[in-house]
Amino acid sequence: MLVRGLVLAALCLAGSAQAVEGPAEAGRQEERLVFTSVLDGAGAPVEDLSASDFTIHENDVVREVLDVKRSTDPLRIALLVDTSEAVDRDVSNLRIAVRDFIRAVNGVHELALYEFGGRPALLADYSRDLTRYEAAARRLVARSGTGAYLLDAIVEASRDLRKREDLRPVIVVISSDGPEFSERYHRMVLDDLRSTGATLHSFVIDDRTVPLSVSQSAREREFTLAEGTATTGGRREYLLTSMSLEDRLRDLAVELKTQYQIVYSRPESLIPPDTLDVRVTRAGLTSRGAQAWTSEGWRAHGR
């Protein structure tokens, strides 16, 4: 049975002395699989690492790294795009950036395209059909008189991913900083996100042309994006102009396509760890995005 949990991706490179596995943890071992990206100081992917370059910590306990290699498993990516009135000045740049991102990840990986100007709507379901998705991207328009339902969109995308039992789910949010109309608490949204094991990436266009919203819904959105990206190891970026979105999404596409899969050993347990840290021993590098699977789930996906 596939076990999924929300794990904490460590972005720091050094830490205090770690605990070692004690007698209470001795016994049967199981293998777990983790996916992570590694970036240099300029934010570019690093692709020449081996097992000796990584350490794994569960609840600050060091685990044995068994194998490291570049991941070739397909991703299933939910792309959530704001089409509320607040993006009216930016919608042309949005369409270009989304189109280029679709092209960059097309082929091996599958995408679904959602909009959330008003209630969330699925514009194109998961497939690898480039023509279909480019057509859907061209239909992205700012909807007059609407507000964003970003939190509702995350919940809807999460529940759909959960039904599909995917090995590497990803949710990418592109939003304005305008009014939020979802009536949800961030904890409930994060529970749905947690149930998928997905990595959340967030790009918010904050060009100051839209008055900053200080409503409770806007605060819940901020809490969701802040905690959701931090605890799943995703990107969280505020963009002063929508013209920079194309480059940011291109960087993300490269990052997603150059992930490592790390196999490590841990004592068998019914209780998952509260935190899982993937650290890189080589100076100047950071890891981002960690997702752990039990050996049963690993075998279920044909490993």
Side-chain angles (χ1 to χ4, degrees), residues 37-46 235 255 284-288:
S37 300
V38 179
L39 309 178
D40 64 18
V46 179
R235 290 174 175 246
E255 179 182 328
L285 305 183
T286 60
S287 65
R288 178 157 58 198

Side-chain angles (χ1 to χ4, degrees), residues 147-302:
Y149 286 77
L150 187 157
L151 300 186
D152 284 351
I154 293 176
V155 169
E156 187 168 318
S158 295
R159 292 177 180 177
D160 190 25
L161 284 170
R162 187 169 66 234
K163 290 186 296 185
R164 296 172 185 269
E165 293 287 319
D166 291 297
L167 186 61
R168 295 210 297 161
V170 175
I171 297 177
V172 180
V173 171
I174 302 170
S175 175
S176 71
D177 203 25
E180 171 68 32
F181 282 74
S182 302
E183 296 181 353
R184 294 181 182 273
Y185 292 108
H186 70 281
R187 289 297 176 194
M188 298 175 64
V189 179
L190 291 172
D191 284 345
D192 274 294
L193 175 65
R194 182 181 298 112
S195 70
T196 71
T199 302
L200 177 66
H201 301 273
S202 167
F203 300 88
V204 177
I205 301 167
D206 183 17
D207 59 8
R208 303 302 180 188
T209 61
V210 178
L212 183 65
S213 177
V214 293
S215 67
Q216 180 62 35
S217 294
R219 288 194 290 270
E220 295 297 331
R221 176 183 61 195
E222 177 65 17
F223 294 149
T224 298
L225 296 180
E227 187 172 341
T229 54
T231 57
T232 64
R235 290 174 175 246
R236 178 179 176 236
E237 299 189 30
Y238 281 86
L239 311 179
L240 295 179
T241 170
S242 58
M243 291 187 292
S244 62
L245 180 62
E246 184 179 0
D247 287 340
R248 295 296 190 274
L249 286 181
R250 186 183 299 116
D251 291 343
L252 175 61
V254 173
E255 179 182 328
L256 292 175
K257 291 162 64 176
T258 55
Q259 286 188 318
Y260 290 90
Q261 63 179 46
I262 305 171
V263 181
Y264 71 98
S265 178
R266 71 181 307 278
E268 284 190 350
S269 174
L270 296 176
I271 302 174
D274 294 322
T275 64
L276 184 147
D277 297 346
V278 180
R279 302 183 185 180
V280 188
T281 58
R282 192 182 299 183
L285 305 183
T286 60
S287 65
R288 178 157 58 198
Q291 189 173 28
W293 305 92
T294 63
S295 53
E296 288 80 7
W298 189 14
R299 288 193 293 268
H301 283 82

Side-chain angles (χ1 to χ4, degrees), residues 8-244:
L8 182 63
L11 303 182
C12 58
L13 301 178
S16 57
Q18 305 299 318
V20 296
E21 189 173 304
E25 293 187 295
R28 296 183 60 184
Q29 299 286 304
E30 65 179 2
E31 292 181 358
R32 284 187 175 240
L33 180 65
V34 172
F35 296 103
T36 189
S37 300
V38 179
L39 309 178
D40 64 18
V46 179
E47 304 180 44
D48 62 344
L49 302 180
S50 64
S52 62
D53 295 307
F54 292 93
T55 60
I56 301 288
H57 306 75
E58 290 184 330
N59 295 344
D60 288 331
V61 177
V62 178
R63 302 302 187 194
E64 181 184 4
V65 175
L66 303 176
D67 184 56
V68 172
K69 64 181 180 181
R70 289 280 303 281
S71 176
T72 57
D73 293 311
L75 296 163
R76 194 181 291 270
I77 305 169
L79 184 57
L80 283 49
V81 182
D82 190 349
T83 53
S84 68
E85 185 174 358
V87 301
D88 183 58
R89 292 165 54 105
D90 303 303
V91 72
S92 178
N93 291 329
L94 277 176
R95 283 197 296 264
I96 293 171
V98 168
R99 179 202 64 194
D100 288 353
F101 179 75
I102 290 170
R103 291 176 178 176
V105 301
N106 183 257
V108 176
H109 308 302
E110 294 189 357
L111 292 99
L113 180 60
Y114 295 80
E115 64 171 339
F116 55 90
R119 295 293 180 182
L122 180 63
L123 297 181
D125 205 351
Y126 291 102
S127 79
R128 299 172 187 171
D129 186 342
L130 179 61
T131 303
R132 178 181 176 188
Y133 279 94
E134 289 194 342
R138 288 194 293 270
R139 298 200 303 272
L140 293 170
V141 296
R143 304 195 178 279
S144 179
T146 65
Y149 286 77
L150 187 157
L151 300 186
D152 284 351
I154 293 176
V155 169
E156 187 168 318
S158 295
R159 292 177 180 177
D160 190 25
L161 284 170
R162 187 169 66 234
K163 290 186 296 185
R164 296 172 185 269
E165 293 287 319
D166 291 297
L167 186 61
R168 295 210 297 161
V170 175
I171 297 177
V172 180
V173 171
I174 302 170
S175 175
S176 71
D177 203 25
E180 171 68 32
F181 282 74
S182 302
E183 296 181 353
R184 294 181 182 273
Y185 292 108
H186 70 281
R187 289 297 176 194
M188 298 175 64
V189 179
L190 291 172
D191 284 345
D192 274 294
L193 175 65
R194 182 181 298 112
S195 70
T196 71
T199 302
L200 177 66
H201 301 273
S202 167
F203 300 88
V204 177
I205 301 167
D206 183 17
D207 59 8
R208 303 302 180 188
T209 61
V210 178
L212 183 65
S213 177
V214 293
S215 67
Q216 180 62 35
S217 294
R219 288 194 290 270
E220 295 297 331
R221 176 183 61 195
E222 177 65 17
F223 294 149
T224 298
L225 296 180
E227 187 172 341
T229 54
T231 57
T232 64
R235 290 174 175 246
R236 178 179 176 236
E237 299 189 30
Y238 281 86
L239 311 179
L240 295 179
T241 170
S242 58
M243 291 187 292
S244 62

